[in-house]
Amino acid sequence: VICDDYVSPSSVEEALAILASLQGEGRIIGGGTDLIIQLLRKERSALTLVDVSRIPGLDDIRAEGAQVVIGAAATHSQIALSPTIQKHVPLLAEAVSWIGSPQIRNVGTLAGNVVNAQPAADGAIALLALDAEAEIANLTGRQWVPVGKLCVSPGVSRVDATSEMITAFRVNAASAREGFAYERRARRRVLALPLINVAARVWVDSDGSRMRDVRLAAGPVALVPFRAVQTEAVLRGQPISSNLIEEALATLLTEAKPRSSLLRASKEYRRELLAELSRRALTRAIDVARGTGT
Ligand SMILES: Cc1cc2nc3c(=O)[nH]c(=O)nc-3n(C[C@H](O)[C@H](O)[C@H](O)COP(=O)(O)OP(=O)(O)OC[C@H]3O[C@@H](n4cnc5c(N)ncnc54)[C@H](O)[C@@H]3O)c2cc1C
């Protein structure tokens, strides 16, 4: 037995009221692809699971002006296959397509991916590069918070799923002269932990020669999903050249810290992989921004 009770509220307000009445002994569950395993291993405990995956409308994906809003219960499959996401946020569609297997993507949610707080979480890495915000609802109200502020350390999120929940994410829709790429390598192509994953997003100026702005996020190269701000500073505003990218990669290898891991690979190999995948991601994103790539 992994819990005493399971409830399926039909609104966010009802879910929050149930959590409040359980005084820390209830916990939100989405697809359960992380949480059920953690309950079975006794890494977490909860007397009552509060399932938010059936709340009507919580899986909506919609364009709102220049932004796209993704409901917290949207599964990775819904996101990857959504025409709105494919058109306006292709980086996210690409990243979540890598998660697990079809079975995992059919039930696993973006909110679960973020609150599970793993430094290599594919959804979280993409959301970082997208400057995404999460709407957090609790008894005091609702608040938008940058996703980059949510992960504290491996497995620890600022979102306390025993008393509050993520209801939605919002990201800016891709604009003209903006390009994206997601690169990921694992020991095998599917259903495997990433050795390194990288999300790149670049903006080029009107003739495509200068990098107006850039975001680069990577995992697992720190205790939390990592945004390479020093590397971005090297690239920002500069004329694009292979020398510039090499200079940026040298900075990346000073600020990102891949570790040796029995599950993943040696630090030396993962540093080389980080540089190569970042080189590919930046190059591909630049091509897309210039309108010469796919
Ligand atoms: C075989 C397998 C392969 C996997 N492969 C990958 C992979 O390649 N890449 C990857 O990134 N992940 C992978 N995962 C991990 C997992 O599938 C994802 O992290 C998934 O997105 C978790 O979402 P979920 O809805 O199942 O979360 P759950 O297990 O339901 O919940 C995870 C955590 O989030 C909390 N939570 C869930 N929803 C909310 C909410 N709306 N508000 C607040 N808190 C919430 C829960 O309380 C819990 O602490 C894999 C898992 C398995 C079992």
Side-chain angles (χ1 to χ4, degrees):
V1 178
I2 55 169
C3 66
D4 284 355
D5 204 1
Y6 164 91
V7 290
S8 181
S10 53
S11 70
V12 169
E13 291 66 31
E14 189 186 349
L16 294 175
I18 294 170
L19 287 176
S21 71
L22 292 164
Q23 301 186 340
E25 299 201 321
R27 189 171 188 98
I28 301 272
I29 184 166
T33 59
D34 282 316
L35 184 54
I36 294 292
I37 295 171
Q38 292 159 2
L39 293 170
L40 284 166
R41 290 183 182 155
K42 303 200 186 310
E43 292 163 4
R44 283 198 198 280
S45 62
L47 288 186
T48 300
L49 296 178
V50 181
D51 184 353
V52 296
S53 69
R54 288 156 212 261
I55 295 180
L58 202 67
D59 62 351
D60 276 0
I61 297 172
R62 59 181 190 280
E64 259 186 30
Q67 293 195 309
V68 173
V69 177
I70 304 158
T75 64
H76 300 306
S77 295
Q78 281 173 290
I79 293 169
L81 296 173
S82 154
T84 305
I85 299 288
Q86 288 174 357
K87 179 166 178 215
H88 297 297
V89 205
L91 173 63
L92 189 60
E94 192 178 344
V96 300
S97 302
W98 284 102
I99 292 178
S101 59
Q103 295 91 328
I104 297 293
R105 292 194 293 275
N106 283 345
V107 291
T109 64
L110 203 50
N113 194 251
V114 167
V115 177
N116 197 50
Q118 289 304 315
D122 289 289
I125 298 285
L127 289 175
L128 257 192
L130 288 162
D131 297 312
E133 293 181 308
E135 187 186 50
I136 300 171
N138 54 34
L139 287 181
T140 61
R142 296 190 183 209
Q143 202 190 352
W144 288 100
V145 179
V147 168
K149 294 225 159 90
L150 295 183
C151 185
V152 179
S153 58
V156 181
S157 171
R158 261 185 234 290
V159 181
D160 176 4
T162 69
S163 65
E164 57 187 2
M165 64 179 283
I166 294 183
T167 49
F169 295 93
R170 70 180 179 197
V171 294
N172 289 332
S175 52
R177 308 207 174 279
E178 183 176 337
F180 307 82
Y182 193 78
E183 291 284 339
R184 181 194 205 267
R185 288 298 175 278
R187 284 186 188 272
R188 54 171 192 257
R189 212 180 134 73
V190 295
L191 209 56
L193 290 172
L195 302 180
I196 291 287
N197 42 7
V198 175
R201 183 171 166 224
V202 306
W203 292 259
V204 297
D205 63 2
S206 53
D207 68 1
S209 64
R210 202 173 280 270
M211 195 175 299
R212 254 196 319 117
D213 206 353
V214 56
R215 299 287 182 276
L216 189 68
V221 297
L223 293 178
V224 297
F226 183 71
R227 168 125 176 248
V229 286
Q230 293 171 22
T231 309
E232 291 173 4
V234 173
L235 293 164
R236 187 169 294 119
Q238 298 301 315
I240 297 166
S241 69
S242 49
N243 279 352
L244 175 71
I245 291 180
E246 294 312 310
E247 197 189 319
L249 295 179
T251 300
L252 179 62
L253 291 178
T254 63
E255 65 170 334
K257 308 253 185 296
R259 293 187 310 183
S260 291
S261 137
L262 279 178
L263 280 177
R264 294 200 150 96
S266 71
K267 169 177 153 184
E268 292 72 21
Y269 176 72
R270 295 181 61 238
R271 280 170 59 85
E272 289 203 20
L273 195 58
L274 173 64
E276 181 55 29
L277 294 187
S278 302
R279 188 181 287 118
R280 291 184 194 186
L282 286 167
T283 307
R284 187 150 66 89
I286 291 166
D287 287 346
V288 172
R290 284 174 167 162
T292 53
T294 49

